[in-house]
Amino acid sequence: MTRIIPISQIDYSTSHSLCHAAWQFSRAVLWPEQSFSEDEQRRSLSFIKTYLNFPEIIEGSFNEFCERILLAHEAIYLERSVYLPQPSVWFHPNYQDGYITTKMQHRKLSQRRIDVPGYRQEYNVLVTGFFRYSNRNKPSYINSCRRHLIKLKAFDLLSLLYRSVIYSSFLQS
């Protein structure tokens, strides 16, 4: 006797909104005050979709994407002289100085978290709170995330959280 396992339907509207949130998160963190053409946004979003495994976006892939954006932000902030090209170039899989370089950094971060529990917990708090807010659009998730970041004294990430929420909530493109 064979057993039929129903395949759950993919909620495309949620997947699209999560892709949009990931795009706005990356804009808020890496390109804050820059405006982009619709064509630039469309190209960037198409690359982001591949990194998020669209349309089956899960919390893990979203969180990894956002943590990698935070790692890039940290690297840019520390080096201060790094040139950051437009998003469609930076997200392109063949651009060797772009998003692709954050993969090794994220692996090191994950390994360090295994070795040292609580290591860089503030990154996880931020991206988990932002995912939950983006997925359900409840301000309580942002308030909870805010309290945790304040408790961790991660004030720089708190400002990135605010900016990301503003970008994802109020900017249409």
Side-chain angles (χ1 to χ4, degrees):
M1 179 173 186
T2 59
R3 182 176 168 197
I4 299 174
I5 300 173
I7 298 175
S8 62
Q9 294 290 337
I10 296 170
D11 184 359
Y12 286 99
S13 63
T14 300
S15 296
H16 282 290
S17 69
L18 287 174
C19 285
H20 182 266
W23 160 240
Q24 295 299 359
F25 184 84
S26 60
R27 277 186 68 186
V29 173
L30 297 177
W31 297 277
E33 310 308 324
Q34 295 182 28
S35 59
F36 301 106
S37 68
E38 287 184 32
D39 191 44
E40 175 65 24
Q41 293 178 55
R42 184 183 45 74
R43 285 191 313 261
S44 300
L45 203 50
S46 71
F47 291 129
I48 291 170
K49 285 179 179 181
T50 62
Y51 295 125
L52 292 176
N53 197 25
F54 182 83
E56 298 181 37
I57 300 171
I58 59 172
E59 185 174 0
S61 65
F62 186 89
N63 288 0
E64 179 183 340
F65 176 85
C66 291
E67 281 188 342
R68 288 173 66 178
I69 295 296
L70 291 172
L71 289 168
H73 175 263
E74 181 180 291
I76 291 166
Y77 179 75
L78 291 175
E79 293 179 25
R80 294 187 191 251
S81 63
V82 173
Y83 167 73
L84 190 63
Q86 58 188 353
S88 64
V89 173
W90 194 78
F91 283 119
H92 196 284
N94 294 331
Y95 183 64
Q96 295 303 312
D97 293 328
Y99 180 79
I100 202 76
T101 63
T102 62
K103 189 171 189 79
M104 186 56 77
Q105 292 172 308
H106 191 264
R107 280 188 187 151
K108 289 178 183 177
L109 175 67
S110 298
Q111 184 58 47
R112 179 62 73 79
R113 284 180 173 159
I114 292 169
D115 298 340
V116 182
Y119 180 76
R120 301 306 287 269
Q121 179 184 7
E122 61 276 10
Y123 276 16
N124 195 347
V125 168
L126 171 61
V127 299
T128 300
F130 186 70
F131 171 81
R132 290 181 179 157
Y133 174 76
S134 300
N135 199 21
R136 299 263 197 289
N137 206 17
K138 289 185 179 179
S140 61
Y141 291 126
I142 296 301
N143 291 331
S144 174
C145 182
R146 178 184 173 277
R147 281 192 301 275
H148 283 301
L149 290 173
I150 289 172
K151 187 176 174 183
L152 294 169
K153 296 182 178 12
F155 302 113
D156 54 335
L157 295 182
L158 189 59
S159 67
L160 292 178
L161 172 68
Y162 295 153
R163 191 180 323 149
S164 300
V165 168
I166 290 169
Y167 274 50
S168 68
S169 299
F170 300 109
L171 296 180
Q172 297 303 314
S173 53

